[in-house]
Amino acid sequence: MMVRHQLKSRGIRDTRLLEAMGNVPRHVFVPREYVDQAYADGPLPIGGGQTISQPFMVAWMTELLTLTGQEKILEVGTGSGYQAAILSLLADRIFSIERSRELAAQARERLRWLGYGNVEVIEGDGSQGYPEGAPYDGIIVTAGAPDIPRPLLEQLAEVGRLVIPVGGSGMQMLVLAQRRGDEFPTRELGSCAFVPLLGRYGWSGRGDGRSRGGRL
Ligand code: SAM
């Protein structure tokens, strides 16, 4: 149902991705009180003002990474761990970084319990990337940034892809950047609405709206 009505009907074509979206048990990633809405066409609260993203948004951003199964991927914003579980079925190795200690611990345990063994959940500020695992063939940011954080571009492998919502704290533009040597050509793909990316290269955690990112 979800795959046919929400994903195929909106143009998601990657058959491996559609299969992964059909296989990952989304209801395990949502709080108990939302289990009956787990496969609905929207984001859901996961506590602490954070959300598990709409299934279509997960699929769209994942498809933009053009995964073949060989890649090393960084996800910024683990949240529930659902996006990481999808990536785990489509790429070789996943690093997923989350600033909330509680969410990181819950997602780590959930992913371990479900057997997604190629995902490493790290607690930290993902606006700075995760240099320990770099370079990455793909980086996916599941929170809205004021600008593209420079460290994320620097941690991309050659022809590596970065998918990131960029814009205001309410609405953003989904941006795809690809490394070509020292150049990072970008494409704007459509609007989206994510919770803010906090941290050093995101929206300031102090709520004063300042960021230290550099717009390309
Ligand atoms: N991908 C998640 C999923 O599948 O459930 C949804 C992510 S939720 C929309 C955004 C997440 O980004 C929140 O869990 C939030 O705590 C996290 N976040 C915000 N700023 C961050 C930062 N600088 N580093 C790491 N995580 C961050």
Short mmCIF file of all heavy atoms in Angstrom, two decimals, residues 46 50-53 75-84 97-100 103 124-127 142-143 194-199, ligand 1:
data_model
loop_
_atom_site.label_atom_id
_atom_site.label_comp_id
_atom_site.label_asym_id
_atom_site.label_seq_id
_atom_site.Cartn_x
_atom_site.Cartn_y
_atom_site.Cartn_z
N ILE A 46 8.53 11.76 17.29
CA ILE A 46 9.27 10.66 17.95
C ILE A 46 9.78 11.09 19.33
O ILE A 46 10.62 10.43 19.92
CB ILE A 46 10.45 10.14 17.08
CG1 ILE A 46 11.41 11.28 16.68
CG2 ILE A 46 9.94 9.40 15.85
CD1 ILE A 46 12.70 10.80 16.02
N GLN A 50 11.16 16.12 17.87
CA GLN A 50 11.74 15.58 16.62
C GLN A 50 10.73 14.68 15.91
O GLN A 50 9.70 14.33 16.47
CB GLN A 50 13.03 14.82 16.92
CG GLN A 50 14.07 15.66 17.64
CD GLN A 50 14.42 16.93 16.87
OE1 GLN A 50 14.40 16.97 15.64
NE2 GLN A 50 14.72 18.00 17.61
N THR A 51 11.05 14.32 14.67
CA THR A 51 10.10 13.56 13.85
C THR A 51 10.80 12.43 13.10
O THR A 51 12.00 12.50 12.83
CB THR A 51 9.44 14.47 12.79
OG1 THR A 51 10.49 15.11 12.04
CG2 THR A 51 8.54 15.51 13.41
N ILE A 52 10.00 11.41 12.75
CA ILE A 52 10.40 10.44 11.72
C ILE A 52 9.82 11.00 10.44
O ILE A 52 8.65 11.39 10.39
CB ILE A 52 9.90 9.01 12.04
CG1 ILE A 52 10.22 8.03 10.90
CG2 ILE A 52 8.41 8.99 12.34
CD1 ILE A 52 9.86 6.56 11.25
N SER A 53 10.63 11.10 9.38
CA SER A 53 10.20 11.79 8.16
C SER A 53 9.13 11.01 7.41
O SER A 53 9.00 9.78 7.56
CB SER A 53 11.40 12.02 7.24
OG SER A 53 12.40 12.73 7.93
N GLU A 75 24.76 9.48 7.42
CA GLU A 75 23.47 10.14 7.64
C GLU A 75 23.63 11.10 8.83
O GLU A 75 24.15 10.70 9.88
CB GLU A 75 22.37 9.14 7.99
CG GLU A 75 21.03 9.86 8.23
CD GLU A 75 19.96 9.03 8.93
OE1 GLU A 75 20.31 8.01 9.55
OE2 GLU A 75 18.79 9.43 8.87
N VAL A 76 23.18 12.33 8.67
CA VAL A 76 23.19 13.30 9.77
C VAL A 76 21.75 13.45 10.26
O VAL A 76 20.87 13.86 9.49
CB VAL A 76 23.75 14.67 9.32
CG1 VAL A 76 23.67 15.68 10.46
CG2 VAL A 76 25.18 14.51 8.82
N GLY A 77 21.50 13.08 11.53
CA GLY A 77 20.15 13.13 12.09
C GLY A 77 19.53 11.74 12.11
O GLY A 77 18.58 11.47 11.37
N THR A 78 20.01 10.88 12.99
CA THR A 78 19.53 9.49 13.05
C THR A 78 18.05 9.42 13.42
O THR A 78 17.32 8.57 12.88
CB THR A 78 20.31 8.70 14.13
OG1 THR A 78 21.71 8.94 13.98
CG2 THR A 78 20.03 7.21 14.06
N GLY A 79 17.62 10.29 14.35
CA GLY A 79 16.22 10.28 14.79
C GLY A 79 15.82 8.90 15.26
O GLY A 79 16.43 8.31 16.16
N SER A 80 14.79 8.34 14.63
CA SER A 80 14.29 7.01 15.01
C SER A 80 15.19 5.87 14.52
O SER A 80 15.08 4.74 14.99
CB SER A 80 12.91 6.81 14.37
OG SER A 80 13.05 6.72 12.96
N GLY A 81 16.02 6.14 13.49
CA GLY A 81 16.84 5.10 12.88
C GLY A 81 16.22 4.52 11.62
O GLY A 81 16.81 3.67 10.95
N TYR A 82 15.01 5.00 11.24
CA TYR A 82 14.31 4.43 10.09
C TYR A 82 15.08 4.66 8.78
O TYR A 82 15.30 3.71 8.00
CB TYR A 82 12.90 5.03 9.99
CG TYR A 82 12.11 4.55 8.79
CD1 TYR A 82 11.63 3.25 8.74
CD2 TYR A 82 11.87 5.40 7.72
CE1 TYR A 82 10.91 2.80 7.64
CE2 TYR A 82 11.14 4.95 6.61
CZ TYR A 82 10.68 3.65 6.58
OH TYR A 82 9.97 3.22 5.49
N GLN A 83 15.51 5.89 8.55
CA GLN A 83 16.26 6.19 7.32
C GLN A 83 17.55 5.35 7.28
O GLN A 83 17.93 4.83 6.23
CB GLN A 83 16.60 7.69 7.29
CG GLN A 83 17.55 8.13 6.20
CD GLN A 83 16.93 8.19 4.83
OE1 GLN A 83 16.14 9.07 4.53
NE2 GLN A 83 17.29 7.24 3.97
N ALA A 84 18.19 5.18 8.43
CA ALA A 84 19.42 4.39 8.49
C ALA A 84 19.14 2.93 8.13
O ALA A 84 19.94 2.27 7.46
CB ALA A 84 20.04 4.50 9.88
N ILE A 97 24.76 9.86 12.53
CA ILE A 97 25.13 10.68 13.69
C ILE A 97 23.93 11.48 14.17
O ILE A 97 23.20 12.05 13.37
CB ILE A 97 26.38 11.55 13.37
CG1 ILE A 97 26.84 12.34 14.59
CG2 ILE A 97 26.16 12.46 12.18
CD1 ILE A 97 28.27 12.86 14.46
N GLU A 98 23.74 11.48 15.49
CA GLU A 98 22.56 12.10 16.12
C GLU A 98 23.03 12.89 17.34
O GLU A 98 23.80 12.40 18.15
CB GLU A 98 21.57 11.00 16.52
CG GLU A 98 20.45 11.42 17.44
CD GLU A 98 19.56 12.51 16.85
OE1 GLU A 98 19.04 12.35 15.73
OE2 GLU A 98 19.39 13.55 17.53
N ARG A 99 22.51 14.13 17.49
CA ARG A 99 22.98 14.97 18.60
C ARG A 99 22.28 14.62 19.92
O ARG A 99 22.84 14.86 20.99
CB ARG A 99 22.83 16.45 18.29
CG ARG A 99 21.41 16.96 18.26
CD ARG A 99 21.34 18.38 17.76
NE ARG A 99 21.93 19.35 18.66
CZ ARG A 99 21.33 19.86 19.74
NH1 ARG A 99 20.10 19.49 20.05
NH2 ARG A 99 21.94 20.74 20.49
N SER A 100 21.06 14.07 19.84
CA SER A 100 20.34 13.72 21.07
C SER A 100 20.84 12.37 21.59
O SER A 100 20.72 11.35 20.90
CB SER A 100 18.83 13.65 20.80
OG SER A 100 18.20 12.79 21.73
N LEU A 103 17.87 9.80 21.72
CA LEU A 103 17.47 9.26 20.42
C LEU A 103 18.55 8.34 19.84
O LEU A 103 18.25 7.28 19.28
CB LEU A 103 17.15 10.39 19.43
CG LEU A 103 15.84 11.16 19.68
CD1 LEU A 103 15.71 12.32 18.70
CD2 LEU A 103 14.63 10.24 19.58
N GLY A 124 26.65 12.83 18.46
CA GLY A 124 27.53 13.97 18.24
C GLY A 124 26.89 15.02 17.35
O GLY A 124 25.73 14.89 16.95
N ASP A 125 27.67 16.06 17.05
CA ASP A 125 27.20 17.16 16.20
C ASP A 125 27.51 16.84 14.74
O ASP A 125 28.62 17.04 14.26
CB ASP A 125 27.89 18.46 16.62
CG ASP A 125 27.54 19.61 15.68
OD1 ASP A 125 26.59 19.47 14.87
OD2 ASP A 125 28.22 20.65 15.77
N GLY A 126 26.49 16.36 14.03
CA GLY A 126 26.68 15.96 12.64
C GLY A 126 26.81 17.13 11.68
O GLY A 126 27.12 16.92 10.50
N SER A 127 26.59 18.37 12.14
CA SER A 127 26.81 19.51 11.24
C SER A 127 28.29 19.61 10.90
O SER A 127 28.67 20.24 9.91
CB SER A 127 26.29 20.82 11.86
OG SER A 127 27.18 21.31 12.83
N THR A 142 19.13 14.86 7.36
CA THR A 142 17.68 14.78 7.53
C THR A 142 17.19 15.84 8.52
O THR A 142 16.28 15.60 9.30
CB THR A 142 17.25 13.35 7.95
OG1 THR A 142 17.86 13.04 9.19
CG2 THR A 142 17.66 12.33 6.91
N ALA A 143 17.81 17.01 8.45
CA ALA A 143 17.38 18.18 9.21
C ALA A 143 17.73 19.39 8.35
O ALA A 143 18.64 19.32 7.52
CB ALA A 143 18.09 18.24 10.56
N PHE A 194 11.79 20.48 7.17
CA PHE A 194 12.44 19.63 8.17
C PHE A 194 12.64 20.40 9.47
O PHE A 194 12.71 21.64 9.46
CB PHE A 194 13.82 19.18 7.65
CG PHE A 194 13.76 17.99 6.75
CD1 PHE A 194 13.52 18.14 5.39
CD2 PHE A 194 13.96 16.71 7.24
CE1 PHE A 194 13.46 17.04 4.55
CE2 PHE A 194 13.90 15.61 6.41
CZ PHE A 194 13.65 15.76 5.06
N VAL A 195 12.78 19.68 10.56
CA VAL A 195 13.21 20.30 11.82
C VAL A 195 14.63 20.84 11.61
O VAL A 195 15.35 20.37 10.74
CB VAL A 195 13.19 19.28 13.00
CG1 VAL A 195 11.77 18.82 13.29
CG2 VAL A 195 14.10 18.09 12.72
N PRO A 196 15.03 21.86 12.40
CA PRO A 196 16.33 22.49 12.15
C PRO A 196 17.54 21.60 12.45
O PRO A 196 17.52 20.83 13.42
CB PRO A 196 16.33 23.70 13.09
CG PRO A 196 14.98 23.79 13.68
CD PRO A 196 14.28 22.50 13.48
N LEU A 197 18.55 21.73 11.61
CA LEU A 197 19.88 21.17 11.91
C LEU A 197 20.53 22.13 12.90
O LEU A 197 20.75 23.31 12.58
CB LEU A 197 20.72 21.08 10.64
CG LEU A 197 22.14 20.54 10.85
CD1 LEU A 197 22.12 19.02 11.06
CD2 LEU A 197 23.06 20.89 9.69
N LEU A 198 20.82 21.63 14.09
CA LEU A 198 21.48 22.46 15.11
C LEU A 198 22.99 22.20 15.03
O LEU A 198 23.45 21.48 14.16
CB LEU A 198 20.92 22.12 16.49
CG LEU A 198 19.39 22.29 16.63
CD1 LEU A 198 18.92 21.88 18.01
CD2 LEU A 198 18.97 23.74 16.33
N GLY A 199 23.73 22.83 15.92
CA GLY A 199 25.16 22.55 15.99
C GLY A 199 26.02 23.61 15.35
O GLY A 199 25.52 24.62 14.84
N1 SAM B 1 16.28 10.40 9.79
C1 SAM B 1 15.42 10.35 10.93
C2 SAM B 1 14.55 9.13 10.94
O1 SAM B 1 14.64 8.30 10.01
O2 SAM B 1 13.79 8.98 11.90
C3 SAM B 1 14.59 11.61 11.09
C4 SAM B 1 15.43 12.76 11.49
S1 SAM B 1 14.58 14.10 12.31
C5 SAM B 1 13.66 14.77 11.00
C6 SAM B 1 16.00 15.18 12.49
C7 SAM B 1 17.01 14.69 13.49
O3 SAM B 1 18.19 15.49 13.37
C8 SAM B 1 16.55 14.83 14.94
O4 SAM B 1 16.62 13.59 15.57
C9 SAM B 1 17.56 15.81 15.54
O5 SAM B 1 17.87 15.55 16.90
C10 SAM B 1 18.75 15.60 14.64
N2 SAM B 1 19.74 16.69 14.59
C11 SAM B 1 19.53 18.03 14.54
N3 SAM B 1 20.72 18.68 14.49
C12 SAM B 1 21.69 17.72 14.51
C13 SAM B 1 23.11 17.76 14.48
N4 SAM B 1 23.81 18.89 14.42
N5 SAM B 1 23.78 16.59 14.51
C14 SAM B 1 23.11 15.40 14.57
N6 SAM B 1 21.77 15.31 14.61
C15 SAM B 1 21.07 16.45 14.58
#
